[in-house]
Amino acid sequence: GSGTQKLGYLPMASTDTIFAILGEELGFIGSFVLLALFAVLIWRGFAIARRQEDLFFTLVAVGLVISIAITVFVHVGVCTRLGPPTGQPLPLVSYGGTNLFATMFSCGVLLKMSRPPSSRGGVL
């Protein structure tokens, strides 16, 4: 908690550059663990998409996973200076309501799609 970059050196430290702050506070191991957790989320999302019997559900799952993956890649790219600043928040980590709501909705749909079709019981 003694990092100095969040004290005015980085713009929008709680949203747009949160990965840089986490990298400073948690170090290489913490950053690697966070990226590994995102990799597991993306891998499991593609596994859910692969198990779908209907093409529509496969495309929905792939679209949701790719939207999360692109958001993570863009945010990490901006924080590591591999891309221009875009204002893209890090899913499930950055402060903010709309992006968190949309990401949690996507994860909920993926979780619902991970159940067998006979036990879904609803729209999906």
Side-chain angles (χ1 to χ4, degrees):
S2 61
T4 59
Q5 295 298 319
K6 62 185 170 206
L7 300 176
Y9 296 108
L10 288 174
M12 302 298 287
S14 63
T15 57
D16 294 347
T17 55
I18 193 71
F19 186 73
I21 301 299
L22 289 174
E24 182 185 23
E25 298 287 338
L26 302 176
F28 175 74
I29 301 296
S31 300
F32 181 78
V33 167
L34 181 66
L35 291 177
L37 289 173
F38 277 120
V40 167
L41 177 68
I42 292 166
W43 175 68
R44 290 296 303 153
F46 281 125
I48 290 169
R50 196 172 342 124
R51 283 197 318 252
Q52 297 303 310
E53 297 171 359
D54 190 7
L55 179 63
F56 175 75
F57 293 134
T58 300
L59 294 177
V60 168
V62 167
L64 293 174
V65 172
I66 286 178
S67 71
I68 293 172
I70 287 175
T71 306
V72 170
F73 292 142
V74 167
H75 183 85
V76 172
V78 166
C79 289
T80 57
R81 309 243 349 183
L82 294 175
T86 58
Q88 190 73 27
L90 189 63
L92 302 173
V93 178
S94 291
Y95 174 78
T98 306
N99 183 32
L100 180 64
F101 177 76
T103 306
M104 291 179 74
F105 179 79
S106 299
C107 290
V109 170
L110 285 171
L111 186 63
K112 182 80 169 178
M113 293 173 83
S114 68
R115 297 173 65 187
S118 61
S119 64
R120 287 184 189 155
V123 175
L124 295 176

